[in-house]
């Protein structure tokens, strides 16, 4: 068992033998905001990583950022670095009179394997705009230009942009931020519990007007901008009407529906591979797969992870909560 004493949430099964486990926590909120069911520790602070991005984007819209839906979705993204993602980031920057030299994301290759290989074949190198968080950073810069704030220090936790993001984050999660860390992209990373994270997503998903509705609708209309054309998150958005969701590093994931139901999860080991397995099971456990309009087979496919032996399937990672 891990030091935190978390329960097993998934089993690694090879040739019928359970060779390992993933430990973690999952929470499901009912439409009224109460905890419907939970597994593990869901009230303690975690670092949701990129699952925070839709809430960060909301703060920027509340500050006056006015992007078309496709670019607002990109502000919420951990994008794959496909050509349309990169062009979109350039459009956000250009709208503020900036170019990619203003970005303070660390240089990186695209997340998507095909996009990365295409860059390398063309002789390209790691760049800041290819980093998966560049949409968020471009939106942050555009917000700073709009408000007349310094763009060189936009990642400082004391910068007025980051102060406003924290205020919005605490309002939506309903919890004070216990820890301000540094995310992989260099931006301030705010902690909350899985309950708080799910609550924030429920607030976005249920909004019928205003900035929160704009953010949610951008995600619904352009889910490929929030992730990429080959990602499990995109498949889940397309399979469940009205869903909004965002994955984060270290195996975080938050999802909500327009009726106010919401789910959030995290594994202790941070293994990205098990994240969609757990969310598919959480939605199944809550009865979502039986509802009208939901493509239950497509949801199930997002949660199916086969293990290979000799190039053929010999096992799986399966949810165990």
């Amino acid at each position: 068992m891990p030091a935190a004493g978390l329960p097993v949430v998934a089993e690694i099964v090879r040739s019928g033998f359970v060779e390992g486990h993933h430990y973690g926590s999952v929470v499901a909120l009912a439409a009224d905001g109460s905890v419907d069911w939970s597994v593990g520790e869901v009230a303690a602070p975690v670092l949701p990583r990129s699952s925070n991005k839709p809430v960060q984007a909301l703060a920027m819209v509340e500050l006056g950022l006015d992007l078309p839906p496709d670019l607002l979705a990109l502000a919420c993204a951990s994008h794959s670095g496909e050509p349309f993602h990169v062009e979109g980031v350039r459009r956000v920057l250009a709208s503020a009179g900036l170019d990619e030299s203003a970005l303070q994301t660390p240089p990186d290759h695209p997340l998507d394997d095909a996009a990365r290989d295409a860059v390398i074949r063309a002789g390209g190198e790691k760049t800041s705009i290819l980093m998966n968080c560049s949409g968020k950073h471009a939106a942050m810069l555009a917000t700073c230009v709009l408000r007349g704030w310094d763009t060189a220090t936009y990642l400082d936790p004391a910068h007025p942009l980051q102060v406003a993001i924290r205020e919005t984050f605490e309002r939506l999660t309903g919890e004070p931020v216990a820890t301000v860390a540094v995310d992989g992209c260099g931006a301030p990373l705010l902690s909350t519990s899985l309950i708080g994270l799910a609550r924030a997503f429920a607030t976005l998903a249920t909004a019928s007007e205003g900035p929160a509705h704009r953010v949610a609708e951008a995600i619904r209309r352009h889910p490929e901008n929030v992730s990429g054309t080959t990602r499990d998150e995109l498949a889940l958005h397309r399979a469940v009407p009205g869903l909004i969701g965002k994955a984060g590093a270290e195996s975080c994931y938050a999802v909500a529906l327009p009726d106010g139901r919401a789910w959030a999860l995290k594994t202790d080991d941070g293994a990205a591979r098990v994240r969609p397995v757990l969310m598919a099971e959480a939605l199944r456990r809550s009865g979502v797969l039986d509802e009208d309009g939901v493509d239950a087979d497509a949801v199930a496919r997002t949660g199916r992870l086969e293990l290979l032996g000799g190039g053929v399937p010999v096992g799986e990672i399966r949810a165990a909560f």
Side-chain angles (χ1 to χ4, degrees), residues 3 6-7 25 31 38 61 73 93 100 103 111 143 153 155 207 272 296 299:
L6 296 174
S25 303
S38 67
V61 174
L93 291 168
E100 55 196 271
L103 292 169
L111 281 182
T143 304
T153 58
L155 297 183
V299 175

Side-chain angles (χ1 to χ4, degrees), residues 195-244:
I195 293 174
L197 183 63
R199 184 184 295 127
F201 271 68
T203 299
L204 290 171
T206 58
S208 59
E209 60 183 5
H213 178 67
R214 287 184 57 193
V215 172
E217 281 300 291
I219 294 171
R220 291 179 181 122
R221 290 172 58 183
H222 300 281
E224 70 285 347
N225 281 16
V226 182
S227 56
T229 59
T230 64
R231 303 265 284 277
D232 63 89
E233 299 148 83
L234 175 61
L236 191 65
H237 278 96
R238 289 179 171 169
V240 184
L243 178 144
I244 64 167

Side-chain angles (χ1 to χ4, degrees), residues 113-128:
D113 290 345
R116 179 201 62 215
D117 292 348
V119 169
I120 293 173
R121 281 197 302 269
E125 300 178 346
K126 294 181 179 180
T127 63
S128 292

Side-chain angles (χ1 to χ4, degrees), residues 129-155:
I129 200 168
L130 294 177
M131 198 268 176
N132 72 88
C133 299
S134 63
K136 177 183 75 174
H137 281 243
M140 286 180 171
L141 285 162
T143 304
C144 288
V145 170
L146 173 70
R147 303 289 293 197
W149 294 333
D150 181 46
T151 56
T153 58
Y154 74 97
L155 297 183

Side-chain angles (χ1 to χ4, degrees), residues 2 33 35 50 62 73 77 79 91-92 97 126 150 168 187 202-203 216 230 253 270 283 294 299 319:
V35 174
S50 286
E62 291 178 339
H79 65 73
R91 287 169 56 201
V92 175
K126 294 181 179 180
D150 181 46
T168 297
T203 299
T230 64
Y253 206 179
L283 296 177
V294 174
V299 175

Side-chain angles (χ1 to χ4, degrees), residues 23-24 136 261 288:
Y23 301 85
K136 177 183 75 174
R261 288 176 295 166
V288 174

Side-chain angles (χ1 to χ4, degrees), residues 254-276:
V255 158
L257 296 177
D259 64 7
R261 288 176 295 166
W263 299 262
L265 61 86
K266 187 185 186 315
T267 63
D268 189 56
D269 62 4
R273 65 181 184 173
V274 74
R275 171 188 53 74

